[in-house]
Amino acid sequence: MSNDSASLNLAGKDVPLPVMSGTVGPDVVDIRKLYGQTGAFTYDPGFTSTASCQSAITYIDGEQGILLHRGYPIDQLAENSTFMEVAYLLLHGELPNKDELDKFVYTISRHTMVHEQLATFFRGFRRDAHPMAVLVGVVGALSSFYHDSTDITDPQQRLIASHRLIAKMPTLVAMAYKYSIGQPFLYPDNSLGYTANFLRMTFGVPAEHYEVNPVIERAMRRIFILHADHEQNASTSTVRLAGSSGANPFACIAAGIACLWGPAHGGANEAALNMLREIGDVKRIPEYIARAKDKDDPFRLMGFGHRVYKNFDPRAKVMKATADEVLKELNISDPVLDVAKELEHIALSDSYFIDKKLYPNVDFYSGVILNAIGFPTEMFTALFALARTVGWVAQWNEMIADPEQKIGRPRQLYTGSAQRDYVQVGDRK
Ligand code: ACO
C-alpha cells in the first residue's frame, strides 16, 4: 500500500480511496469498496485504466519500450536462454539452476505424447479447417483425457496439468499441420530439445531422418520466447476469467486460444504477412499508407500499433534481426521483407504514425520469418498459441494461488429499456 491516497467527489460527498504501489510502474487506485460506499460503478470498456489483478510475472513499460519477465529484460532472455528456462522462470519465479533445469526438461519431455485417441479426434475435422479451430477443440478436449489433473484445488494436479499443457502443445500444433497437408502424425522424439522436437514433428516425415538447422532452431526458439507472456493481454485475461470460475486448466487454455485467434491480437501476424503480400511492391506503399490514414477506410496497417507500447515494441527489434538472419541462412530474397522494411521506414517518418505513437509490433516481422521457414500463414497464430501457453499457465497458476482471487464479474452501465410489461404476441404492433 502506498502512503498516498486518492479521493473521489461524488454527489457532493468525498470518498477516500487507497492507493497501491507495485515494485515499479504506475500506482493503482483501489476502488474495490467504491460500490459499497457510493452505489456507483466505474466505467472502463477495454480496461484501458483498470488493473484486474496483482501479478509478479511480467512487467511492461509501454512508454519506455521495456518488457521484463520476473525482472529479466526480454532481449537478454531471447539472446541467452532456452525456451525451457523461460518457461521455468515464468512458472516458478526464478531462473533454474542446472539441476532444476535438467529435471524440468526431463519432466516436460515425458509429457510430450498425447493420448492415442486424440488422433481419432483429429480425424473428425475437415482437412481445410483452420489450425486455430482445431486447437480450440483439441486443447479443450484434453480435459476429457487427463481427469487426474483437473482438480484445481490440488497444487500437485495443477503442476501436472501445467507440465502437460506446455509439453503437449507442440505435439498438437504439429499434428494440426500434418493433418492439414495429409501427412502422417509423427510421435515426439524426446532426445531432441523442445524447439527441435517441434520442428521435426512439423517438417519431418517417418521415412527420413530430419536434420534440424541450428539457425532455424534459434529463430524458432526466439519466436517462442518473444511470445511466451505479455502480462494481462486479452487472451491471458480470458484465461484468468475462465479460470476464476474454477474451470479446469485445459478448458481455460482453450478459451485463451479462442481469444488469441482474433486479428487484433494473435491473428495479427497472419494478417500482417497477408497485407505485405497484398502490397507486393514498395511502389504501392504510399497508397496503403494513405488508406491507413483515411478515417473512412477501415484498413489498418497490420503489425503496427499496440495498446501498451507507445514508444517501440522491444520484441520487434529482436524479430527484425532474426528475419535478416533466417533469410540469409536460407538464401531467400523475399520481396515481402523489402516491403516490410520500406513500410516501416515510411510509416516511422509520417506524422500520422508519429503523433499516434504507432510502431511495428512483434508481429510485423514474425510472419516474414515463419513464411521463410516454411509455415503456411494459417499456422502463424497456432505457433503464437504454442508459445503463449507457457504464459497462460503461469498466470493461471498465480491466479489460483492468490488468496484474493474472486470470480471475475465486471459490472455494466445499463442502457436498455427500463422495466415494462409483457405484451401478448397478437397485441404487438
Ligand atoms: N494503422 C492505422 N491506424 C491505427 C493503427 C494501425 N495499425 N492502430 C491504431 N491506429 C489509429 C486508430 O485509428 C486510432 O486513431 P484515432 O485516434 O484517430 O481514432 C488511434 O490510432 C488509436 O487506436 P486504437 O484502436 O484506439 O488503439 P488501441 O490501443 O485500442 O489498439 C491495436 C491497439 C488493436 C493493436 C491497434 O493498434 C491495431 O488494430 N493494430 C493492428 C493490429 C495488430 O497489429 N495487432 C497486434 C497487436 S500485438 C499482439 O497482439 C501480439
Side-chain angles (χ1 to χ4, degrees), residues 92-357:
H92 299 293
E94 294 297 336
L95 282 169
N97 63 29
K98 175 85 175 64
D99 286 350
E100 287 165 338
L101 182 61
D102 288 349
K103 194 166 165 238
F104 184 68
V105 168
Y106 177 83
T107 305
I108 296 297
S109 72
R110 262 54 197 174
H111 284 295
T112 51
M113 288 205 302
V114 293
H115 195 289
E116 197 60 22
Q117 228 164 293
L118 262 169
T120 319
F121 191 80
F122 264 89
R123 293 195 170 91
F125 288 101
R126 281 171 54 139
R127 294 268 177 197
D128 61 355
H130 195 286
M132 289 298 278
V134 174
L135 282 180
V136 171
V138 292
V139 173
L142 292 178
S143 359
S144 66
F145 289 96
Y146 302 102
H147 292 151
D148 58 343
S149 56
T150 52
D151 178 359
I152 64 152
T153 60
D154 177 349
Q156 187 57 24
Q157 290 203 28
R158 295 205 297 268
L159 189 65
I160 295 170
S162 305
H163 291 158
R164 281 182 168 150
L165 278 156
I166 294 169
K168 292 181 199 308
M169 273 304 275
T171 314
L172 294 173
V173 172
M175 286 171 85
Y177 174 66
K178 286 298 195 199
Y179 187 72
S180 72
I181 56 168
Q183 286 189 1
F185 299 141
L186 257 67
Y187 288 117
D189 175 348
N190 290 342
S191 67
L192 295 172
Y194 190 88
T195 310
N197 186 25
F198 170 68
L199 287 168
R200 185 193 146 272
M201 285 190 289
T202 306
F203 295 118
V205 285
E208 283 171 22
H209 171 73
Y210 179 77
E211 197 59 44
V212 180
N213 177 327
V215 175
I216 308 288
E217 186 186 357
R218 188 167 64 236
M220 264 335 278
R221 177 176 58 75
R222 280 195 193 150
I223 289 179
F224 287 164
I225 291 174
L226 294 177
H227 286 90
D229 192 51
H230 213 227
E231 53 118 305
Q232 308 313 318
N233 58 85
S235 57
T236 302
S237 298
T238 301
V239 170
R240 281 185 177 256
L241 197 56
S244 76
S245 73
N248 76 70
F250 305 104
C252 295
I253 301 305
I257 293 172
C259 177
L260 186 74
W261 193 358
H265 190 10
N269 50 14
E270 184 176 344
L273 186 73
N274 288 339
M275 177 195 74
L276 293 171
R277 280 190 182 136
E278 190 186 308
I279 298 175
D281 193 308
V282 288
K283 286 199 218 92
R284 298 185 64 200
I285 292 175
E287 179 196 323
Y288 282 82
I289 296 266
R291 283 187 62 195
K293 288 156 69 172
D294 182 354
K295 277 253 160 267
D296 300 323
D297 189 330
F299 174 79
R300 283 185 169 201
L301 281 190
M302 297 315 286
F304 259 77
H306 197 275
R307 169 59 64 77
V308 181
Y309 294 120
K310 301 298 176 193
N311 181 324
F312 66 93
D313 181 339
R315 303 168 300 174
K317 274 189 174 174
V318 185
M319 247 356 150
K320 188 177 181 180
T322 308
D324 281 327
E325 238 176 79
V326 169
L327 265 59
K328 185 164 169 255
E329 166 69 17
L330 298 177
N331 206 8
I332 295 176
S333 115
D334 188 346
V336 157
L337 185 65
D338 300 334
V339 173
K341 284 189 173 168
E342 189 57 17
L343 184 63
E344 178 182 357
H345 175 69
I346 295 178
L348 292 186
S349 50
D350 187 301
S351 60
Y352 173 92
F353 294 90
I354 295 170
D355 294 348
K356 292 188 189 303
K357 300 186 173 176

Side-chain angles (χ1 to χ4, degrees), residues 365-396:
Y365 283 105
S366 63
V368 176
I369 305 171
L370 296 173
N371 179 51
I373 294 176
F375 288 102
T377 41
E378 302 76 52
M379 283 296 292
F380 292 1
T381 317
L383 299 167
F384 189 163
L386 185 170
R388 185 55 58 86
T389 296
V390 164
W392 289 332
V393 159
Q395 301 265 354
W396 174 81

